[in-house]
Amino acid sequence: MLKYSELYPCSNAYRSKVSLDGLWKFSFDPDSAGKEEEWFKKGIPNACPMPVPSAFADLFTKEEERDYGGDFWYATEFYCPDDMQDRNCFLRFGSITHRAAVYCNGQLVAEHEGGFLPVVCDITDAVRRGEANQLAVWVNNELNESSLPCGSVKVLASGRKLVKPYFDFFNYAGIQRSVYLLQIPKHAITDYSVTYELKGENANINYQAVHSGEGSIRVSLYDREGSLVVSGEGSQGSLFVEKAHLWKVRNAYLYTIKLELVQDGRVMDEYTDRIGIRTVEIKDGKIWINGEAVYLKGYGKHEDFDVLGRTFNWSVAKRDFECMKWNGANCFRTSHYPYAEEWYQMADEEGFLVIDEVAAVGMMRSFANFAAAGTGKYTYFFEAPTVPELKKNHMLQVEEMIMRDKNHPSVIAFSLFNEPETTSDGAAEYFRDIFETARKLDPQHRPLTGAMEKNSAPDKCKCYHLLDFICLNRYYGWYISGGPEIEEAMELFAEEMKAWEEKKLNVPFVFTEFGADTLGSEHKLPGVMWTQEYQEKYMEKNFEIMDQFPFVQGELAWNFADFQAQEGIMRVNGNKKGIFTRNRQPKNAAYVLKRRWESSHLC
Ligand code: CKX
């Protein structure tokens, strides 16, 4: 059970949220001296101004700063109003990457591991109301084999630390999402969840609410126009919605749910949220939303943009949704970590389907697992002494993700890994426990999955049976037999698909990655690798194979847009498999996808 509520901040007559975003102070701490020297009390030395939220890396002009690995600090001052003495006071960071310790007025108020989920700190006893307060945050961006994501650190002869991710995206770090000061009643609503049953044209919303202190719960449901639809009493119950408006794919309808905590007829707390009535089911080898089979069309994405790094930005999010709508997409995977909550809010509004992924990436011992993919190399990842700690972190982050995201109608599945080693008994045991934990946590019992790369072949993989639908990352025609050999690549692709078919698994398969690096500047007729023409051809060829196997029920191209990755001989200033450029303009292949996704043969 998580210590604090993961509910997204809201403001009303009982609760207040004040944004602490702005210009903070920032300082690197390469000698890790700050904790011992009590910078959280004395102030952080040699500080420079730093926006919050931001990812520090691409804001600097020196390589040592951009590629910095180790400890660093943020500090700011905030005023806490004294008109809410009877409230508990919290700080809520959307995320701090990758681990943090938060100090309020010199007092440690929270420690957190994992860079993509909220950090909530109870500062009720530490805060000074009606006064200015000092806030200091220690952050560390190193990776190891028990962190999510996985990686390691190389120390250069100069003593400089370089973080070596076992994955293919830049290790952006810092306070990359918004920070709020929250004042919440002492007796408060701390969590709620909803599940849905469709009954003809009507629906039941089964709800469960959790609160601290005494009192009873009152629930009200409002339609889009703000009219009361139905209400109920008690911490759990069922709301009958007559002629329910369903939340549909790319045609969302959102209701507002209001929960009130009532004591002796007096409202003590209120929490409102937007919810959508929809069901998700895996049946007969298909994915069903509200009893209608849906074919997933879209992308694996990243939170990534020039200068911003992984900082959440509403305008970038808006543009991304507009681009995805333009070419007929209906789904994306939050590869390879839970995104800022605002992404899911927008997906709820736009009727997009989201496969929500935990940051379990790089679970294969290799500095760039895209390079090791397909070699069949056995890495003994799940037999290392780091595994118990890794598993503990993995389980906790699955719990935090599900707690945070469980009420979003857009979230139709949870992905519990990306491209780990899955061929050993160690991996099978490890993931059995992870999946078992996740199954208990989701009140909606959504499908669980994970994305598997080429090593997870039909005859070698020991984990696929855990997945409710099978996600494959495949690069036939790129990492395997690329360029002039694409013909052979397609034969190998078809061969693998036949091997899966022979297993008669009767579960849907979704391609969660397939793609070809493509430079926006390069054209050649006939196409060669890295040109726009080759990306078009690659897509068309891959679709020809996918279309031969009816158990394929989705295709999420890699990647929505070009994104920053670690430097190396395989990357030209980033991964260029984007269907859009990093500044969100379409490459030629975007039109191939548009034509295909807008055609009716994909339901
Ligand atoms: N999959 C064969 C994970 C992504 C990478 C992608 C790539 C790999 C491919 C694995 O995070 O970006 O190499 O483009």
Side-chain angles (χ1 to χ4, degrees):
M1 188 65 185
L2 300 178
K3 203 162 164 201
Y4 298 119
S5 170
E6 293 278 302
L7 291 178
Y8 190 77
C10 83
S11 245
N12 55 37
Y14 311 91
R15 302 177 159 232
S16 111
K17 70 165 188 186
V18 174
S19 169
L20 300 189
D21 292 356
L23 205 55
W24 292 32
K25 289 184 188 139
F26 178 87
S27 187
F28 289 120
D29 179 10
D31 301 324
S32 295
K35 283 191 178 175
E36 217 175 300
E37 292 174 7
E38 301 194 319
W39 293 4
F40 48 88
K41 284 191 182 148
K42 298 176 186 151
I44 61 174
N46 306 317
C48 69
M50 177 63 73
V52 166
S54 70
F56 68 79
D58 286 352
L59 305 182
F60 287 113
T61 53
K62 288 192 196 125
E63 178 182 319
E64 294 76 15
E65 294 168 333
R66 183 194 59 203
D67 297 331
Y68 179 85
D71 293 359
F72 48 101
W73 290 77
Y74 289 82
T76 194
E77 198 176 89
F78 69 92
Y79 178 77
C80 180
D82 66 353
D83 55 351
M84 286 193 159
Q85 297 281 356
D86 56 337
R87 306 280 194 278
N88 284 335
C89 224
F90 294 89
L91 291 170
R92 189 189 197 268
F93 299 76
S95 65
I96 309 176
T97 317
H98 291 285
R99 57 194 59 79
V102 182
Y103 302 85
C104 179
N105 296 324
Q107 196 177 313
L108 178 69
V109 288
E111 288 178 294
H112 189 263
E113 171 70 29
F116 304 98
L117 288 156
V119 181
V120 185
C121 329
D122 186 348
I123 56 165
T124 312
D125 296 330
V127 80
R128 296 186 201 118
R129 295 173 197 260
E131 287 181 42
N133 291 269
Q134 302 307 318
L135 174 59
V137 186
W138 166 87
V139 192
N140 174 280
N141 67 350
E142 291 171 43
L143 299 168
N144 55 54
E145 292 190 0
S146 53
S147 65
L148 262 68
C150 297
S152 61
V153 172
K154 176 174 180 177
V155 185
L156 301 178
S158 62
R160 217 177 119 208
K161 283 181 187 167
L162 287 181
V163 182
K164 295 280 185 183
Y166 291 180
F167 50 85
D168 182 36
F169 49 92
F170 193 86
N171 188 39
Y172 286 118
I175 302 178
Q176 305 181 108
R177 299 178 188 161
S178 287
V179 186
Y180 290 103
L181 169 68
L182 307 177
Q183 307 232 46
I184 292 176
K186 298 235 180 274
H187 296 180
I189 295 153
T190 53
D191 190 28
Y192 89 97
S193 53
V194 276
T195 65
Y196 305 105
E197 285 165 279
L198 306 187
K199 313 238 164 196
E201 55 174 9
N202 309 320
N204 267 339
I205 303 180
N206 307 312
Y207 70 88
Q208 180 138 33
V210 183
H211 63 88
S212 61
E214 283 157 21
S216 60
I217 294 286
R218 192 158 72 200
V219 188
S220 317
L221 188 79
Y222 298 89
D223 66 15
R224 200 143 70 177
E225 280 70 47
S227 307
L228 180 68
V229 176
V230 55
S231 54
E233 306 234 322
S235 292
Q236 60 186 68
S238 204
L239 303 174
F240 181 73
V241 186
E242 232 180 295
K243 293 206 171 104
H245 298 283
L246 300 186
W247 184 94
K248 294 184 179 160
V249 186
R250 294 282 312 273
N251 182 12
Y253 186 100
L254 294 174
Y255 288 90
T256 297
I257 188 166
K258 180 166 92 178
L259 299 131
E260 290 167 300
L261 178 63
V262 187
Q263 270 173 29
D264 303 325
R266 228 179 101 214
V267 178
M268 307 303 289
D269 186 22
E270 178 189 310
Y271 187 79
T272 49
D273 205 358
R274 312 254 291 153
I275 58 168
I277 301 175
R278 59 100 189 86
T279 58
V280 184
E281 228 182 328
I282 302 292
K283 202 179 59 187
D284 304 332
K286 293 193 174 194
I287 301 165
W288 305 79
I289 306 291
N290 305 328
E292 278 177 33
V294 59
Y295 188 94
L296 308 185
K297 302 178 271 191
Y299 298 100
K301 286 184 94 292
H302 264 300
E303 286 183 301
D304 175 276
F305 200 71
D306 201 11
V307 182
L308 296 179
R310 219 171 296 304
T311 315
F312 177 75
N313 178 282
W314 275 113
S315 300
V316 174
K318 172 75 179 161
R319 173 73 184 177
D320 285 8
F321 276 95
E322 290 306 317
C323 288
M324 290 193 286
K325 279 157 47 182
W326 168 80
N327 74 352
N330 62 18
C331 178
F332 64 92
R333 174 172 65 124
T334 68
S335 37
H336 296 304
Y337 36 83
Y339 289 2
E341 288 143 296
E342 294 79 4
W343 281 102
Y344 306 78
Q345 292 168 3
M346 211 180 242
D348 290 346
E349 298 283 338
E350 297 282 9
F352 265 77
L353 307 171
V354 176
I355 300 177
D356 198 7
E357 187 158 278
V358 76
V361 55
M363 294 178 162
M364 186 179 281
R365 198 161 295 109
S366 148
F367 285 134
N369 84 29
F370 56 88
T375 61
K377 196 172 128 212
Y378 182 51
T379 63
Y380 298 93
F381 196 88
F382 292 101
E383 273 129 75
T386 41
V387 167
E389 185 64 16
L390 174 71
K391 197 169 181 179
K392 197 184 94 203
N393 285 332
H394 199 155
M395 288 199 178
L396 190 61
Q397 289 181 42
V398 166
E399 182 179 0
E400 289 178 9
M401 172 179 74
I402 295 179
M403 282 295 279
R404 190 193 74 160
D405 298 338
K406 62 180 184 245
N407 293 322
H408 287 287
S410 55
V411 174
I412 57 150
F414 292 105
S415 165
L416 305 184
F417 59 70
N418 182 72
E419 300 179 349
E421 180 266 292
T422 63
T423 51
S424 67
D425 292 335
E429 189 191 320
Y430 179 95
F431 285 114
R432 186 199 59 211
D433 296 350
I434 299 286
F435 275 69
E436 212 175 279
T437 304
R439 285 197 198 285
K440 287 189 204 135
L441 289 169
D442 181 14
Q444 294 187 4
H445 302 297
R446 265 163 284 224
L448 299 179
T449 189
M452 304 197 293
E453 58 82 56
K454 179 71 175 65
N455 282 306
S456 307
D459 58 333
K460 289 212 195 84
C461 179
K462 295 196 173 164
C463 297
Y464 67 80
H465 60 279
L466 296 168
L467 281 51
D468 295 319
F469 62 95
I470 293 183
C471 291
L472 299 181
N473 296 354
R474 291 294 183 273
Y475 287 85
Y476 289 101
W478 187 255
Y479 292 120
I480 301 165
S481 305
E485 293 169 27
I486 194 161
E487 224 177 278
E488 178 182 273
M490 292 308 123
E491 280 161 25
L492 295 170
F493 190 7
E495 226 170 78
E496 184 189 341
M497 293 308 286
K498 278 182 200 139
W500 284 115
E501 189 173 43
E502 274 160 24
K503 289 192 166 292
K504 299 193 175 21
L505 297 176
N506 197 29
V507 296
F509 277 56
V510 172
F511 284 94
T512 33
E513 286 186 24
F514 54 101
D517 281 274
T518 305
L519 295 173
S521 58
E522 295 307 300
H523 285 283
K524 193 155 195 149
L525 187 66
V528 294
M529 291 171 92
W530 295 90
T531 64
Q532 299 227 24
E533 287 72 14
Y534 188 79
Q535 192 183 33
E536 289 181 82
K537 174 170 166 182
Y538 171 97
M539 289 292 157
E540 278 158 359
K541 291 269 171 217
N542 272 265
F543 292 142
E544 274 172 30
I545 304 296
M546 291 178 196
D547 287 345
Q548 290 168 28
F549 297 90
F551 57 87
V552 175
Q553 289 297 313
E555 53 197 51
L556 308 182
W558 190 253
N559 185 286
F560 167 72
D562 293 347
F563 60 90
Q564 196 53 251
Q566 299 305 123
E567 284 178 66
I569 51 167
M570 304 277 285
R571 297 288 174 255
V572 188
N573 186 19
N575 185 310
K576 302 291 184 197
K577 295 195 185 71
I579 297 296
F580 292 82
T581 59
R582 202 178 186 209
N583 63 352
R584 277 43 179 183
Q585 298 305 330
K587 296 184 191 168
N588 289 5
Y591 297 89
V592 174
L593 302 186
K594 183 172 168 61
R595 277 194 299 276
R596 176 172 165 86
W597 290 345
E598 286 178 344
S599 83
S600 55
H601 86 278
L602 301 173
C603 65

